Amino acid sequence: MTNSNICPQLPDIHAASFEGHISSDNGAIAEGCFIHSDPALNLAGDFKSSENHFLDLSCTTQGEGQWCALHLPLNLSSSADISHLGFLCRLSAPHPWMLRACLRSEHPEHGFQDCFFPKHLLCTERQHSHVDVLHLDSQPEIPLQAQWRELVFFLPRVSFTLGFQSLHIFAA
Amino acid sequence: MLDLTVVIPCHNDTALLHRLLDHLNNLKCAQKVIVVDDGSSPAVTESELDSYHGPDCGIQQLTLLRQSPAMGAGTARNIALDGIKSAHVMFMDADDLPTRELPQLCKTLAGKDFDFCLFQHHDSRMGSEQLWGQMPFDQDLWAASGHLHQRLQALSPQDASLLVRTANYPWNKIYRTNFLRTYNIRCSETLVHNDIELHWRSFFHAKTILTSNHVCMTHFVNFKGKRLTNRKGAERLQVFVPLQRLAQELKSPDLAAYRLTFFQFSLELLLWARSAIADDFYSDFASSLTDFINEHISRQIRNQIQDNTPQLWQDITHHLSTL
């Protein structure tokens, strides 16, 4: 499975050109795709997506908070038929940043369950590609069935600028 | 698809039982499941299992049996085995999880003639070291047998004498039900070590054993808690029950090929059991060990053990000399 199956919004975002503002109250970027941050961060910023350039983010923070993340919806209620879930992205940032990515699954008791991809994403001033994959059987905490799932990128909790030149999600 | 029943003994493992049933339901590889509640308190109820089976579910039929008081997983498995109508059976422990490879193996096995199929597993202790698969001892045996990377292969008698030394787990095999019935192959009805007879007697009597490198189960090892594997009391002396029975059966000339490997296994297990038993019971343990060696291990086998595994023999004789 590739982008169009597992995250139907991704091809549209790649193909389109749009831009906008985000804040603690309104992190919507595209359908199902949003920035969610701790209100204590008082996040504000801009996003821009242009054709064949996935997403640029430039945000400022006014306080100290516990989280700031980019959420992408996944069309993956059942993971029983796949053995691996992964993503490939190309990214850069004027100043170096370390990000983490996780697969977030709905959980009936806890609200959600996060399973982190093994590698940290390093953003530097030079574009480079990052690939990571989860072997799902190695992660028994990932429920086989979930009402919703997301790919979540945890972003810096201070003012930042970074860009995803591309993002592709795959499952096999 | 394989006509398969999964048997799950359960003792005060409700949360893990639910996790396992949810997994089985989603994997859709076993149409029938028998849960045997081994004296849980509170008891497992039919209503709490309702959501895991039905005509539109992966599990179409779920039967709940109960034995009270608790008599151990071995007795629980035997009770379920008596009532199975499927052509094939698997035994799972409530705290383990099947992987996504199990349905693939079941599809591969459908229509094939075999007595049991031995597959690979993932041990959680390896997971803590970012390694997927079995503990090194089992992995090395599979490699030595030449079956480590074979998707599905018949096991020769020579290689069977290697793989019989793998961990005596009940949940790493898919059995043909009538094979178990024909030879009356069952678990020991002891609180601990109840898997040994099922494992060894399956190897003793099978005509067709298949192996697969599919990793079909994740086995979770928990060093703490009250699980039977962590028990240190007099119940550990029950290790001699299956060993005595198997040693007796090995007097048959048809099983001569298994004698050396069985007694090596027995002595290694008994050394481990010694370390797992409280000192209060050591005298009884040592006495039973002496009787077992004197009654069943011939001079020829002792010499072979001494030659092949001198450290093992040295450790055993050390324990005997401290009596």
Side-chain angles (χ1 to χ4, degrees):
Chain A
M1 274 198 282
T2 55
N3 277 349
S4 55
N5 305 110
I6 200 167
C7 184
Q9 292 83 347
L10 268 188
D12 293 337
I13 296 174
H14 272 292
S17 295
F18 55 92
E19 58 187 82
H21 300 293
I22 47 178
S23 67
S24 291
D25 299 328
N26 180 14
I29 291 176
E31 184 185 348
C33 174
F34 57 93
I35 300 279
H36 187 234
S37 61
D38 185 344
L41 278 178
N42 204 6
L43 185 84
D46 301 304
F47 64 87
K48 183 176 179 181
S49 177
S50 50
E51 190 175 348
N52 296 320
H53 187 96
F54 181 65
L55 188 65
D56 287 328
L57 293 168
S58 182
C59 298
T60 58
T61 61
Q62 302 288 336
E64 290 188 7
Q66 296 301 310
W67 74 88
C68 176
L70 171 65
H71 295 246
L72 296 149
L74 300 179
N75 183 21
L76 193 65
S77 58
S78 170
S79 67
D81 295 328
I82 60 171
S83 60
H84 294 80
L85 176 74
F87 68 91
L88 157 70
C89 63
R90 195 160 174 82
L91 62 171
S92 64
H95 300 286
W97 294 114
M98 199 80 83
L99 312 182
R100 290 300 305 272
C102 80
L103 170 65
R104 177 168 287 185
S105 304
E106 173 264 340
H107 192 286
E109 287 169 38
H110 313 307
F112 59 81
Q113 175 81 45
D114 284 345
C115 178
F116 283 85
F117 285 81
K119 302 177 198 169
H120 290 75
L121 293 90
L122 177 61
C123 304
T124 63
E125 62 176 20
R126 292 181 183 275
Q127 291 184 21
H128 71 276
S129 299
H130 178 95
V131 182
D132 208 349
V133 67
L134 286 173
H135 175 233
L136 298 177
D137 273 328
S138 299
Q139 314 293 338
E141 69 273 22
I142 299 175
L144 280 171
Q145 191 77 24
Q147 293 203 15
W148 55 262
R149 296 192 213 258
E150 293 174 340
L151 176 61
V152 180
F153 290 95
F154 286 90
L155 304 172
R157 292 174 288 151
V158 294
S159 302
F160 67 89
T161 299
L162 59 87
F164 287 87
Q165 284 72 46
S166 65
L167 174 65
H168 302 275
I169 305 172
F170 53 87
Chain B
M1 200 43 147
L2 206 63
D3 180 26
L4 179 67
T5 296
V6 170
V7 172
I8 308 169
C10 172
H11 175 74
N12 295 342
D13 273 330
T14 306
L16 293 174
L17 172 65
H18 285 227
R19 179 182 77 164
L20 173 54
L21 291 174
D22 187 56
H23 245 69
L24 282 171
N25 215 3
N26 279 288
L27 291 178
K28 297 182 171 63
C29 55
Q31 304 82 20
K32 303 182 190 78
V33 170
I34 300 177
V35 173
V36 186
D37 179 8
D38 181 31
S40 297
S41 177
V44 178
T45 62
E46 300 223 355
S47 58
E48 73 181 89
L49 303 183
D50 272 346
S51 60
Y52 298 112
H53 65 103
D56 298 326
C57 293
I59 302 171
Q60 291 175 359
Q61 182 181 320
L62 196 158
T63 305
L64 175 61
L65 304 176
R66 178 169 169 83
Q67 59 184 20
S68 183
M71 288 185 280
T75 309
R77 294 188 192 104
N78 291 345
I79 288 173
L81 186 55
D82 290 340
I84 289 173
K85 295 179 171 52
S86 300
H88 299 93
V89 58
M90 273 189 80
F91 302 103
M92 292 186 188
D93 288 346
D95 56 344
D96 295 332
L97 276 183
T99 71
R100 290 161 175 80
E101 293 193 57
L102 180 58
Q104 297 168 23
L105 178 59
C106 290
K107 270 189 199 166
T108 304
L109 290 175
K112 292 197 167 40
D113 184 27
F114 60 95
D115 294 320
F116 70 91
C117 177
L118 177 71
F119 53 80
Q120 295 179 28
H121 66 275
H122 171 62
D123 190 297
S124 67
R125 290 168 288 187
M126 297 304 292
S128 64
E129 296 181 359
Q130 305 295 323
L131 295 172
W132 178 249
Q134 303 164 128
M135 292 292 281
F137 182 79
D138 279 4
Q139 191 80 344
D140 290 346
L141 286 168
W142 276 81
S145 75
H147 286 245
L148 183 63
H149 301 294
Q150 299 298 325
R151 182 70 5 164
L152 193 72
Q153 189 177 4
L155 194 62
S156 68
Q158 183 179 357
D159 293 336
S161 65
L162 273 174
L163 288 184
V164 73
R165 289 300 313 275
T166 52
N168 293 194
Y169 295 134
W171 40 255
N172 61 352
K173 305 172 186 74
I174 297 176
Y175 293 96
R176 184 169 59 85
T177 310
N178 276 344
F179 161 69
L180 296 178
R181 292 208 175 109
T182 299
Y183 294 98
N184 196 28
I185 297 172
R186 298 161 73 81
C187 293
S188 309
E189 299 196 351
T190 51
L191 282 179
V192 293
H193 302 295
N194 45 58
D195 312 332
I196 296 174
E197 281 188 89
L198 177 69
H199 176 86
W200 282 84
R201 297 196 73 234
S202 297
F203 276 87
F204 287 173
H205 295 289
K207 303 288 188 300
T208 306
I209 304 173
L210 299 179
T211 65
S212 174
N213 71 340
H214 276 294
V215 177
C216 292
M217 291 293 291
T218 295
H219 175 54
F220 293 94
V221 177
N222 180 6
F223 293 105
K224 300 174 188 172
K226 296 179 183 175
R227 304 204 70 78
L228 285 170
T229 48
N230 302 331
R231 300 267 280 263
K232 289 183 169 295
E235 62 272 8
R236 279 288 164 208
L237 292 169
Q238 293 177 338
V239 67
F240 288 100
V241 171
L243 294 182
Q244 291 275 7
R245 287 187 194 149
L246 291 168
Q248 192 64 29
E249 190 165 356
L250 276 167
K251 289 179 178 171
S252 164
D254 294 339
L255 299 176
Y258 282 106
R259 283 184 195 142
L260 175 60
T261 194
F262 171 75
F263 288 116
Q264 280 177 315
F265 158 79
S266 297
L267 294 178
E268 286 168 3
L269 176 64
L270 290 169
L271 274 178
W272 175 85
R274 165 62 191 105
S275 68
I277 199 168
D279 288 343
D280 290 351
F281 305 103
Y282 179 61
S283 174
D284 290 336
F285 179 88
S287 176
S288 296
L289 173 60
T290 305
D291 291 345
F292 179 75
I293 292 173
N294 289 340
E295 184 178 347
H296 294 294
I297 306 184
S298 66
R299 176 58 56 190
Q300 180 188 10
I301 294 287
R302 293 184 207 190
N303 288 342
Q304 285 178 297
I305 292 173
Q306 192 171 3
D307 290 340
N308 293 351
T309 48
Q311 186 61 53
L312 171 62
W313 192 250
Q314 187 179 334
D315 292 341
I316 285 291
T317 52
H318 168 74
H319 280 292
L320 293 176
S321 71
T322 58
L323 272 176

